[in-house]
Amino acid sequence: MAPRLDFSDWWAKDARKGTPVVVKMENPNYSVVEIQGPDSAFRPVEKSRGKNAKQVTWVLLLKAHRAVGCLTWFATVFWSLLGAIKKRLSFTHPLGSERLGRDRWLFTAIKLFLALSLLILAFEIVAYFRGWHYFESPSLHIPTSTLEIQSLLHLVYVGWLGLRADYIAPPIKALSKFCIVLFLIQSVDRLILCLGCFWIKYKKIKPRFDEEPFRNDDAEGCGYVYPMVLVQIPMCNEREVYEQSISAVCQLDWPKDRILVQVLDDSNDESIQLLIKAEVAKWSQKGVNIIYRHRLVRTGYKAGNLKSAMSCDYVEAYEFVAIFDADFQPNPDFLKLTVPHFKDNPELGLVQARWTFVNKDENLLTRLQNINLCFHFEVEQQVSGVFLNFFGFNGTAGVWRIKALEESGGWLERTTVEDMDIAVRAHLHGWKFIYLNDVKVLCEVPESYEAYKKQQHRWHSGPMQLFRLCLGAILTSKIAIWKKANLILLFFLLRKLILPFYSFTLFCIILPLTMFVPEAELPVWVICYIPVFMSFLNLLPSPKSFPFIVPYLLFENTMSVTKFNAMVSGLFQLGSSYEWIVTKKAGRSSESDLLSITEKESPNKRSQLLRGVSDSELLELNQLEEQKQAVAKKPVKKINKIYHKELALAFLLLTAAVRSLLAAQGVHFYFLMFQGVTFLLVGLDLIGEQMS
């Protein structure tokens, strides 16, 4: 070994020689530098200004002030949040809790899972504080002999570890791998759709028609021949929106002798029926060809309403039918932008326009819905329309060729998604669809979680009903094999069944379960990286919503409970799958509608409208006007609802978050904590507007 040449001792001995000198200074202004080693004195020294006691005191006071200000801000935010929660919960009605009905099976399963998780958590905490944290401390090994067993509780814990590793972890691993594979397949599908949308924008692909499609040189007069168009407005107890929808449809730019408006009222409230009748009478006196229809036997919901209207004898004279739900407000040029696509295109059966939302910025719930629906329209439907000539009819804001409806069997009442039903049957008969992303129709999204949840339940249970009913027809149809594969594998299975299944199973069941079974722990890229990337893709059609990427991700996982429950109900024909509840509207108006409202009719115009009305009809109209004003002045009582499944899952996820602290799992803990808080807020109905 080479000898060590260290002269530090000699240097130290030389430094100690000499006589020590003490110097006293009254006002010292120098810096003290600590020298370590013999060569430290020759290294460059950073000059720093010395700090006296007053400066240190002021620095400490400033830091303390900042800390107090930060704590005060957090306390204010927390207190405001508690105040908002208390205010919202004060509106909770005794009957405002969710009615489970036949869907109680899912809530019961979640409760059992929660109780078992709490029991295991208590057991794990006791074992942790007794020092039996074997997985967290690699130096500790699991006892195998009876001599290492400390007590009966220790014996039970060791047995639990063996049971967990040998029998519980393997099936959880298998299920998690299966869900991860489904997750990756769905992610690839989402990525391909986005690439298709980019290609459409890059190539500027969109349906086009001639500038003057209805010009006919052989015709007399103006030289234009417009086809006969029937416009239908189905509604049911739509007090808030009937007036603006009828007004928008009656202002469509189309020859009056070539259009007929059918107001299909299924309301069971007589006061609403009278109000709608009065609105129809008002526009009829203005020269609009409009009629009012009310069914005495209200069967089949919207499908039955449309089927009854199409059975009228005068419908035979019309070639196309446009459908608008009660909250939709088309622009005056809607028909001139959609109907021309049918000219010289005999295989075209449907032209679908895009929805835009007048209340998308009303609250956080409407913003999150806008993200989903923008992706659905701009990416899913546009790509399917361009490359496949097929997509699901949205039930409104579309124009059908009446011949296509009749050849496909017309409106059927067998499911709660009659729009998707007629689209699938028309596709099987060879009809093509066109989607117009540039033609937009104003409408509303639900502003309360109660209305949104019921809407999503219907939208996810109906497709599973339809899949069971039309699977045989798809397999035996004469369309190409790749079209059959697209219908079965992509349209139904991947986007309607697999998506809610893996979303609920992976993030709401398997993830919290792996906190108690660490042998089956999910990798970070499954719970963090890929979901964030998929959320990023969903936000591309609505770039202004990027600040809401985290709430969107958490809320989508929360909604997976409703979607999974609806999917199972529709697949196995449970009672709630046939439930149809009209989505509650708020009656929001666009800016143009607000301007028209402010410019009310003058007394002279009103007298001209009522000149041809009898005395009884005039008295009825005056009574309706007074009733409308009384209803508008009447205060609306709002209540909160409690959602049991969401609350149970909130406590389950928070319990799993506490368990993840024992294993020091950072990403898993934060995900479970924020997801549990999101479930808690939704379960207490603290998102969106209160239900009236």
Side-chain angles (χ1 to χ4, degrees):
M1 182 177 180
R4 180 183 179 188
L5 301 177
D6 192 355
F7 301 98
S8 60
D9 294 337
W10 294 358
W11 184 281
K13 290 178 182 179
D14 294 339
R16 294 191 189 97
K17 292 181 180 181
T19 304
V21 179
V22 179
V23 180
K24 294 183 178 180
M25 301 178 67
E26 294 182 358
N27 296 318
N29 188 12
Y30 59 88
S31 300
V32 180
V33 179
E34 182 180 359
I35 298 176
Q36 298 178 353
D39 58 341
S40 299
F42 302 101
R43 288 198 295 261
V45 181
E46 295 182 0
K47 296 181 179 181
S48 60
R49 185 178 178 182
K51 297 180 180 179
N52 55 31
K54 289 185 177 180
Q55 290 176 326
V56 174
T57 304
W58 277 109
V59 171
L60 293 176
L61 287 175
L62 286 174
K63 290 184 177 180
H65 183 266
R66 289 180 181 177
V68 172
C70 185
L71 291 175
T72 304
W73 183 82
F74 276 113
T76 303
V77 171
F78 183 69
W79 189 258
S80 301
L81 180 62
L82 288 180
I85 293 175
K86 181 180 179 181
K87 182 179 179 181
R88 293 292 294 266
L89 291 181
S90 63
F91 292 102
T92 302
H93 195 268
L95 299 177
S97 59
E98 181 186 18
R99 296 181 180 180
L100 297 174
R102 298 184 181 182
D103 294 335
R104 188 177 294 274
W105 63 272
L106 183 58
F107 178 56
T108 304
I110 296 174
K111 284 196 301 181
L112 293 175
F113 191 15
L114 174 61
L116 184 61
S117 301
L118 290 172
L119 179 63
I120 297 175
L121 176 63
F123 194 31
E124 293 280 358
I125 291 176
V126 172
Y128 183 85
F129 283 105
R130 292 203 175 192
W132 303 336
H133 36 88
Y134 301 107
F135 289 93
E136 290 77 11
S137 300
S139 59
L140 298 177
H141 69 280
I142 300 177
T144 56
S145 64
T146 56
L147 297 176
E148 296 176 312
I149 301 299
Q150 301 175 7
S151 62
L152 179 61
L153 184 62
H154 194 196
L155 178 63
V156 174
Y157 183 68
V158 171
W160 155 247
L161 294 181
L163 176 68
R164 189 177 73 186
D166 296 336
Y167 299 100
I168 299 179
I172 295 177
K173 287 182 179 179
L175 181 60
S176 63
K177 289 179 180 179
F178 177 67
C179 291
I180 290 173
V181 170
L182 297 180
F183 184 25
L184 293 176
I185 293 174
Q186 198 270 335
S187 301
V188 171
D189 174 64
R190 190 64 53 94
L191 182 60
I192 292 174
L193 287 173
C194 290
L195 293 176
C197 184
F198 286 139
W199 180 259
I200 292 172
K201 289 186 176 297
Y202 175 71
K203 291 293 185 178
K204 297 181 180 179
I205 302 173
K206 65 177 183 179
R208 292 178 173 86
F209 57 86
D210 297 334
E211 293 183 0
E212 295 182 345
F214 303 118
R215 185 176 182 85
N216 189 352
D217 297 333
D218 298 334
E220 299 179 359
C222 64
Y224 289 87
V225 176
Y226 290 86
M228 299 286 286
V229 178
L230 177 68
V231 182
Q232 297 178 333
I233 313 176
M235 58 180 63
C236 180
N237 297 326
E238 306 280 4
R239 182 188 296 272
E240 295 82 7
V241 294
Y242 75 92
E243 189 173 2
Q244 61 194 34
S245 64
I246 294 176
S247 173
V249 169
C250 290
Q251 297 179 54
L252 288 173
D253 185 10
W254 202 257
K256 292 184 179 181
D257 60 334
R258 312 294 291 177
I259 185 174
L260 171 64
V261 178
Q262 284 183 321
V263 178
L264 311 177
D265 182 24
D266 256 4
S267 304
N268 54 9
D269 188 334
E270 293 184 0
S271 62
I272 299 177
Q273 295 177 24
L274 294 176
L275 291 172
I276 297 175
K277 284 181 181 179
E279 186 69 17
V280 171
K282 182 183 77 172
W283 285 101
S284 179
Q285 293 171 21
K286 290 182 179 181
V288 177
N289 191 10
I290 183 173
I291 60 174
Y292 173 86
R293 280 182 55 86
H294 177 74
R295 293 192 301 162
L296 297 178
V297 181
R298 299 170 57 252
T299 58
Y301 302 114
K302 181 180 176 180
N305 198 359
L306 294 173
K307 182 179 180 180
S308 174
M310 293 298 294
S311 63
C312 298
D313 295 336
Y314 55 80
V315 174
E316 296 179 357
Y318 293 85
E319 187 177 357
F320 305 105
V321 55
I323 303 173
F324 298 99
D325 282 350
D327 58 318
F328 279 70
Q329 307 167 47
N331 292 326
D333 60 349
F334 175 83
L335 292 178
K336 290 190 174 181
L337 294 176
T338 54
V339 176
H341 289 278
F342 290 97
K343 185 176 177 59
D344 300 327
N345 196 354
E347 295 181 349
L348 182 61
L350 168 67
V351 175
Q352 174 70 61
R354 178 176 175 171
W355 302 359
T356 55
F357 311 104
V358 68
N359 61 337
K360 63 181 180 181
D361 297 325
E362 193 66 27
N363 54 48
L364 179 60
L365 178 61
T366 58
R367 291 178 184 272
L368 299 179
Q369 293 179 69
N370 181 61
I371 295 173
N372 260 342
L373 292 170
C374 283
F375 183 86
H376 171 69
F377 290 119
E378 189 158 346
V379 179
E380 289 183 346
Q381 291 212 313
Q382 185 172 209
V383 171
S384 299
V386 169
F387 294 104
L388 302 176
N389 292 123
F390 168 74
F391 47 82
F393 175 46
N394 298 324
T396 177
V399 181
W400 276 94
R401 190 189 296 271
I402 294 180
K403 182 181 178 181
L405 290 177
E406 294 174 347
E407 287 188 358
S408 304
W411 299 102
L412 299 182
E413 308 166 10
R414 56 182 182 173
T415 68
T416 57
V417 283
E418 74 294 326
D419 45 9
M420 186 181 295
D421 188 1
I422 187 63
V424 171
R425 286 184 282 117
H427 181 58
L428 296 180
H429 281 78
W431 291 99
K432 295 181 179 180
F433 302 163
I434 284 181
Y435 175 76
L436 303 178
N437 193 56
D438 297 334
V439 181
K440 302 176 181 180
V441 181
L442 275 176
C443 61
E444 289 187 18
V445 288
E447 296 184 9
S448 68
Y449 179 70
E450 171 71 10
Y452 179 62
K453 182 176 181 179
K454 290 179 178 178
Q455 181 195 68
Q456 292 299 305
H457 187 279
R458 177 166 54 88
W459 284 4
H460 286 81
S461 64
M464 290 297 97
Q465 287 180 320
L466 181 61
F467 179 64
R468 296 178 70 260
L469 294 172
C470 69
L471 179 59
I474 295 174
L475 294 175
T476 58
S477 64
K478 297 180 180 180
I479 61 175
I481 296 178
W482 67 269
K483 291 184 178 181
K484 296 180 182 180
N486 172 68
L487 268 177
I488 297 174
L489 299 179
L490 295 181
F491 186 76
F492 280 112
L493 291 182
L494 182 60
R495 297 168 189 167
K496 302 297 187 296
L497 188 147
I498 291 177
L499 178 59
F501 171 76
Y502 84 76
S503 181
F504 173 74
T505 307
L506 190 61
F507 296 106
C508 299
I509 299 298
I510 294 179
L511 179 59
L513 190 60
T514 56
M515 295 299 100
F516 302 98
V517 186
E519 295 87 351
E521 180 181 343
L522 292 175
V524 176
W525 59 270
V526 173
I527 64 174
C528 182
Y529 301 144
I530 292 186
V532 171
F533 180 68
M534 289 297 104
S535 300
F536 175 79
L537 292 181
N538 281 12
L539 288 166
L540 288 178
S542 52
K544 293 183 179 180
S545 302
F546 272 102
F548 302 96
I549 184 170
V550 174
Y552 171 74
L553 174 61
L554 297 173
F555 183 70
E556 280 301 292
N557 290 335
T558 306
M559 284 304 300
S560 66
V561 184
T562 300
K563 296 175 181 178
F564 176 81
N565 184 32
M567 181 267 294
V568 175
S569 299
L571 193 61
F572 297 101
Q573 290 187 306
L574 302 181
S576 61
S577 62
Y578 295 95
E579 183 182 22
W580 178 292
I581 298 177
V582 178
T583 304
K584 184 69 176 177
K585 315 295 193 310
R588 305 289 180 185
S589 300
S590 61
E591 294 181 1
S592 59
D593 293 326
L594 293 175
L595 290 174
S596 63
I597 290 174
T598 55
E599 299 174 357
K600 286 289 185 181
E601 295 176 348
S602 63
N604 293 332
K605 289 184 178 180
R606 179 174 176 82
S607 61
Q608 291 176 2
L609 288 174
L610 301 179
R611 186 169 298 172
V613 181
S614 63
D615 294 339
S616 60
E617 291 177 343
L618 180 61
L619 179 63
E620 185 179 2
L621 288 174
N622 291 332
Q623 291 177 352
L624 289 173
E625 192 69 26
E626 294 176 359
Q627 183 181 5
K628 185 190 299 184
Q629 295 177 359
V631 170
K633 295 179 181 179
K634 185 178 179 181
V636 179
K637 184 178 180 181
K638 296 185 176 181
I639 62 174
N640 260 37
K641 294 195 73 173
I642 302 298
Y643 301 98
H644 301 90
K645 291 190 287 290
E646 284 80 357
L647 284 179
L649 276 169
F651 292 121
L652 172 63
L653 292 169
L654 293 175
T655 302
V658 174
R659 174 61 183 87
S660 68
L661 285 176
L662 302 180
Q665 296 167 316
V667 176
H668 296 73
F669 166 74
Y670 288 115
F671 182 87
L672 288 167
M673 183 185 68
F674 287 118
Q675 191 64 70
V677 171
T678 306
F679 268 105
L680 183 64
L681 295 176
V682 172
L684 295 175
D685 197 12
L686 299 178
I687 183 172
E689 297 295 327
Q690 292 167 299
M691 186 182 64
S692 60

